[in-house]
């Protein structure tokens, strides 16, 4: 039986970018120990009190269909958190709870774009972005944020690509680069959205992982709340990746549309997961800081390790759980570097190319293993790079 062209088009005949990850998982399954620095998942599990609340809620009977838009109490909590952090008036009618940020991204583009509409996204990008846009029927158009510009997108490049586009997807703090978009960049982005009448989909799932500077949501910029859809998630902020709980914040009318879509797709998020998420959010930023602390610590360790050599260059970044390393001095591509590291050292890192052409010659390192093992792996990576660079010289 033939499948739809829509589903065949999701990966556009290309790869999903996760080859090194799949290969390292296969090696682990075959009994080969691999140091995994690929996927963005914490090395701690969801905290026991959050699970206890999940358990309590389930035993109290919250195992039936939950309200499709999300439970009032959780929507209120998310709205209050957004209003406190951005100053933008936000009520439960501006919020829909989704099964994770990923489902939120899909729903946002299903709602903002007609089939065939161009949707801009920034390269380097989180690996699912182009496939998500295609799955929603949009036509993905990459706009490069170049290494020499600190991986920040430029308004002029966006404007040049915006003709005929309907939406723009950005992500700050950024996966894979760790870069945070400052006010100047966001103001340029907002201007392009206003001049070209674009929806702005702002993926802010790393908004609690800020190691330098501050997180600014573009929804808070003048006249942006009516055209911005913010994607949020419990995954990264509360180590709840497996709970699949996220949200979209946006104008009431489009949120109502997204709720209609949810009725015909996922039909809500389990009530006991929502109660646990509400409990977790109620712990405030103290818990969020605690969850993020290991990444901040490892980032400091990485600065120390990298300062002792001059082959691998750390992309100056301010947030999230990743390091982007420029390995061009080795003469290798990111893919060849990652393959060789996996083969010879059994250390798995993601090639920059998995996140787009703009990250070629880089590798992304997830700071997701225990401190001393992380430091050792990074030292091995640097020695490996030094060996390759002297061969290349
Ligand atoms: N956006 C970005 C930038 C991500 O890195 C991820 C997960 N790695 C997601 C969205 C989706 O996260 P989730 O569906 O778990 O909320």
């Amino acid at each position: 039986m033939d499948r739809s062209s829509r589903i065949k088009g999701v990966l556009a005949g290309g790869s999903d970018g996760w080859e090194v990850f799949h290969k390292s998982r296969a090696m682990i399954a075959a009994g080969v120990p691999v140091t995994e620095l690929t996927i963005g998942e914490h090395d701690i599990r969801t905290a026991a009190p959050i699970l206890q609340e999940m358990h309590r809620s389930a035993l109290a009977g919250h195992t039936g269909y939950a309200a499709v838009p999300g439970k009032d109490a959780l929507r209120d909590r998310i709205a209050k958190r957004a209003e406190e952090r951005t100053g933008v008036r936000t009520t439960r009618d501006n919020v829909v709870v989704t099964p994770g940020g990923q489902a939120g991204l899909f729903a946002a583009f299903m709602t903002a774009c007609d089939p065939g509409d161009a949707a801009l996204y920034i390269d380097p990008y989180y690996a699912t972005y182009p496939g998500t846009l295609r799955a929603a029927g949009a036509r993905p158009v990459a706009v490069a944020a170049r290494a020499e510009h600190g991986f920040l997108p430029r308004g002029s490049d966006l404007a040049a690509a915006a003709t005929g586009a309907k939406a723009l997807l950005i992500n700050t703090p950024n996966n894979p680069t760790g870069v945070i978009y400052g006010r100047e960049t966001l103001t340029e982005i907002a201007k392009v959205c206003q001049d070209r009448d674009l929806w702005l989909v702002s993926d802010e799932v790393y908004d609690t992982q800020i190691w330098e500077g501050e997180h600014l949501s573009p929804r808070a910029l003048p006249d942006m709340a009516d055209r911005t859809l913010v994607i949020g998630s419990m995954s990264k902020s509360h180590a709840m990746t497996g709970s699949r709980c996220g949200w979209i914040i946006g104008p009431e009318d489009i949120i109502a549309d997204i709720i209609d879509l949810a009725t015909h797709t996922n039909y809500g998020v389990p009530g006991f997961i929502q109660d646990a998420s509400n409990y977790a959010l109620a712990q405030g930023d103290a818990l969020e800081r605690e969850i993020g602390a290991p990444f901040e610590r490892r980032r400091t360790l990485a600065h120390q390790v990298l300062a002792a050599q001059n082959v691998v260059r750390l992309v100056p970044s301010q947030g999230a759980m990743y390091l982007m390393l420029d390995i061009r001095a080795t003469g290798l591509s990111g893919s060849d570097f990652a393959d060789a590291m996996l083969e010879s050292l059994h250390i798995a890192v993601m090639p920059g190319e998995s996140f787009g052409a703009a990250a070629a010659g880089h590798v992304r390192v997830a700071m997701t293993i225990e401190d001393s093992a992380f430091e050792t792996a990074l030292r091995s990576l640097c020695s490996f790079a030094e060996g390759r660079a002297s061969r290349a010289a």
Side-chain angles (χ1 to χ4, degrees):
M1 290 292 287
D2 202 10
R3 295 158 294 138
S4 70
S5 44
R6 183 179 50 241
I7 198 68
K8 285 189 286 196
V10 168
L11 296 184
S15 83
D16 63 1
W18 289 96
E19 291 83 1
V20 175
F21 171 70
H22 296 313
K23 207 156 140 191
S24 89
R25 285 287 153 107
M27 286 168 73
I28 292 169
V32 181
V34 175
T35 305
E36 269 272 8
L37 302 169
T38 48
I39 199 166
E41 175 139 46
H42 318 65
D43 48 322
I44 52 160
R45 300 289 81 190
T46 305
I50 300 176
L51 297 177
Q52 275 149 7
E53 175 57 16
M54 210 179 277
H55 185 238
R56 185 210 60 75
S57 168
L59 286 178
H62 297 276
T63 52
Y65 292 124
V68 171
K71 289 184 151 200
D72 286 351
L74 179 58
R75 292 171 83 199
D76 288 345
R77 172 88 57 199
I78 293 165
K80 183 163 171 276
R81 179 176 183 267
E83 184 166 316
E84 280 169 6
R85 293 181 182 191
T86 62
V88 183
R89 171 104 183 105
T90 310
T91 73
R92 83 168 64 132
D93 294 327
N94 299 113
V95 178
V96 54
V97 176
T98 60
Q102 181 59 49
L105 286 165
F106 176 72
F109 282 94
M110 281 293 282
T111 314
C113 290
D114 277 316
D117 278 344
L120 308 183
Y121 67 107
I122 313 294
D123 171 3
Y125 51 85
Y126 173 48
T128 69
Y129 279 3
T132 305
L133 301 181
R134 283 191 291 260
R139 186 166 52 83
V141 176
V143 178
R146 295 173 206 291
E148 57 271 32
H149 300 152
F151 288 117
L152 291 170
R154 304 216 298 191
S156 51
D157 293 337
L158 290 168
T163 307
K166 195 72 182 293
L168 164 63
L169 169 57
I170 63 166
N171 168 222
T172 180
N174 187 265
N175 175 12
T177 62
V179 167
I180 292 180
Y181 296 180
R183 185 174 294 274
E184 198 181 324
T185 299
L186 290 170
T187 302
E188 282 184 31
I189 288 171
K191 183 165 184 328
V192 174
C193 291
Q194 285 163 357
D195 289 351
R196 304 305 182 97
D197 199 20
L198 304 180
W199 281 105
L200 179 62
V201 179
S202 178
D203 179 344
E204 302 180 22
V205 304
Y206 294 99
D207 65 349
T208 61
Q209 298 182 359
I210 312 294
W211 321 132
E212 280 174 40
E214 56 173 353
H215 170 68
L216 178 63
S217 174
R219 181 168 175 260
L221 294 178
D223 301 322
M224 284 305 287
D226 284 346
R227 61 171 71 248
T228 304
L229 296 171
V230 174
I231 307 295
S233 174
M234 298 301 292
S235 289
K236 313 294 177 177
S237 55
H238 293 82
M240 290 179 70
T241 48
S243 288
R244 314 308 304 132
C245 188
W247 57 83
I248 305 173
I249 299 176
E252 289 178 16
D253 51 353
I254 193 167
I255 291 297
D257 291 337
I258 294 172
I259 292 166
D260 287 340
L261 177 67
T263 303
H264 299 90
T265 51
N266 50 272
Y267 211 84
V269 172
F272 52 94
I273 299 283
Q274 294 196 56
D275 286 343
S277 300
N278 190 11
Y279 167 87
L281 289 171
Q283 308 313 303
D285 53 11
L287 178 59
E288 294 171 3
R289 273 201 303 273
E290 194 182 314
I291 306 283
F295 307 124
E296 186 170 20
R297 224 172 40 228
R298 291 166 198 161
R299 181 175 176 271
T300 305
L301 278 176
H303 278 129
Q304 288 161 8
V305 171
L306 291 164
Q309 54 82 59
N310 52 21
V311 171
V312 177
R313 203 183 65 83
L314 176 61
V315 169
S317 67
Q318 301 83 33
M321 58 215 282
Y322 312 100
L323 302 172
M324 192 63 131
L325 303 178
D326 180 345
I327 50 89
R328 285 177 287 184
T330 64
L332 296 177
S333 68
S335 298
D336 289 345
F337 187 92
D339 278 341
M341 286 261 304
L342 185 59
E343 289 298 322
S344 59
L345 300 177
H346 297 175
I347 297 175
V349 297
M350 292 293 286
E353 291 83 356
S354 289
F355 307 101
H362 291 70
V363 293
R364 188 196 75 171
V365 174
M367 299 186 280
T368 48
I369 59 171
E370 170 277 315
D371 295 20
S372 66
F374 177 71
E375 190 177 343
T376 305
L378 213 50
R379 284 193 199 287
S380 304
L381 183 152
C382 289
S383 320
F384 175 80
E386 282 172 318
R388 290 299 174 132
S390 56
R391 263 204 248 170

